[in-house]
Amino acid sequence: MSKLVKITISALGAVIILIAMGVWYAASTVDPVQLTKLLSSSVKTATGRDLKITGPVSLSFFPGISVAAEGLSLSNTSWAPGSDMLTLRRIDVSIKTLPLLSKRIEVDSVKLAGLELFLQKNGTGKANWDFSADAPREPSDTKNNAETSSVSDDLISLDNVSIADARIQYQDPSNTISSYQIQRLSLADSSDKTVVSLAMKFQEQVLELSGKTGSLSRLLKKWNVSSAQFPIDLSLTMNDKSMMIKGEVSKNPKTPPTINLTLNSKTFDWPVFGVPPNLPPRAVSGAQLAPVVHQTQKPQPKYLFSNESIPFDVLPLVKGKVAINIGELNLPKRKPIEHLQATLQLNGGVIDIPNLRFQMDKGSADLQIKLSGLDTANPAFRVKGITKDFTLESLLARLDPGSKVSGGGMKMAFDVKTSGSSLHQMASNSNGKIQLSISQARMGTNFLNDAGDFVVTLLDSMNPLRKKTSETILECAVAYLPINNGQINIAKSVGAETDRLDVALAGSINLKTEAINLTIDPQEKSGLTTGLDLSGMVKMGGTLANPKAGINQAGVVNSAVSIGLGFLTGGASILAENARSMTSKSRPCRDALHPWSDIYPGAE
């Protein structure tokens, strides 16, 4: 949200300040027509865009100087489909009179009503709110620019801002549209504080922000000029659940800001960032409609782990810490997690979370996360931790309430390092170890049917009887996954035991190409009366995004030889195979399990 607020302010800033300067000019030449022409030409010079004012423009000099205009619009960039980037039903600006005598402009208040802002990025990453491409290029001296900027900051100040009935639409390069509606925004500057009041909706979620901060106008004046402290005492409410945000932001010249915040809530909702389908365009004051974009169907991705860049650059490079304490965090369409506690330690391009803890029912998690090099093209990421006392039953109740699963105590430990700017790069460059164990559970045939092609294909390959029975009794399952430069090598280190089968996996998964090469050995515990067991006959190939199950030719040949010998010896070898399977009981879980302390110290 902070990024959109900054974008909105920057898009409106030029218009608002130029209108304020126009009012100062109007003090001596009270001609609305001339004022309109002045504002339009000034905005054109500053942004390269056309400002149109189709409604009336009025001026007043009592009790103070004020100007009002209706029917404003700011043209869009040349490549954007819509003709206007911004439309405004009405703007009212009030100017303090006495500061004009000192050749300073102090804007007492700005009121915006009926704002429509259409933000867009195209496929090349260009943004329609970037005015640099449209503004006329004029040679200028850097020193003079700095002096002019400094003078402008001193001459113009703004105390109070109010926005009512505003709508912001953002269209990303894939033509997905996000909508933000602001019913009310009020920033009232008074002495050393600013009173904040915000009521808005985004993605059909109601959000309110209220409280007070340090003086925003004073902070802007002191930013990178002198030391500034900015206290924060706000209440954020989403769907009638509140979070208290308290702390301080401090800023010294030519150094990153330092923030120290605490976020406390008894219960809070995790926001939904998905886009509601079939977003209707909204009519703009005047007659224009928001640009209608027909969303194109996205092509099938090549990789399961997306190769799209993660926008690490939007994370602020600040110092300080943020302490989070949430009693109950409600997840979208899931049961909540409890007792979430974490401290984010911020140091420029590094975010360190030395302790992140939470609970689900009786299960608990203790994690450590570190992101570094956020100001580089190849950020580094490390995550390690342990979870224990979770159950498959409670976890799937949160993920898939329709799953018929009971029991299944779980334990997991991991320590993984990686780097990259996308999930695919991170998977390709990963190194570390992951181990998961599951104890006895009862599972219906629909177990994890919605978990994706790879999981479903793997489960069907591991348990050929899964679709032939109404229930599977899992006695245990263990997965030990060592990762070396994006390569997972499995040497009988994944195993499972059910009431009827013992299953072991061997092979590899290449996370760089996402190629799968797994041999799956399901063996019936009672021995097969035909002498033909399933051992070594199932092979899984393809990729993580498009897995394929097939027949392991070597396993088929070995089993065929065994059957042939059985016929030649009158069944004696078949009986021997059955006897061997009964006496040489396999233990896939025991063989796959590695010492927990090898993965996470103290995990035993």
Side-chain angles (χ1 to χ4, degrees), residues 518-578:
L518 294 176
T519 299
I520 303 170
D521 295 342
Q523 298 181 351
E524 257 198 299
K525 290 186 174 181
S526 60
L528 295 171
T529 58
T530 62
L532 174 64
D533 69 28
L534 301 172
S535 177
M537 292 182 62
V538 184
K539 185 177 179 65
M540 189 170 174
T543 66
L544 292 176
N546 187 24
K548 297 177 181 179
I551 301 298
N552 182 14
Q553 299 297 331
V556 172
V557 171
N558 291 336
S559 294
V561 169
S562 176
I563 293 174
L565 290 173
F567 285 115
L568 290 175
T569 60
S573 63
I574 294 178
L575 293 175
E577 287 287 333
N578 289 336

Side-chain angles (χ1 to χ4, degrees), residues 476-478 492 495-497 585-594:
C476 66
V478 173
K492 302 291 185 181
E497 300 173 26
K585 182 176 177 63
S586 62
R587 300 295 297 272
C589 293
R590 182 193 62 186
D591 296 341
L593 188 67
H594 284 62

Side-chain angles (χ1 to χ4, degrees), residues 389-395 405-411 437-443 474-475:
D389 298 328
F390 287 91
T391 64
L392 200 59
E393 178 180 356
S394 63
L395 185 62
V405 178
S406 62
M410 301 174 64
K411 184 175 181 179
S437 70
I438 303 175
S439 62
Q440 192 173 56
R442 289 179 175 267
M443 303 175 295
L474 178 71
E475 294 181 355

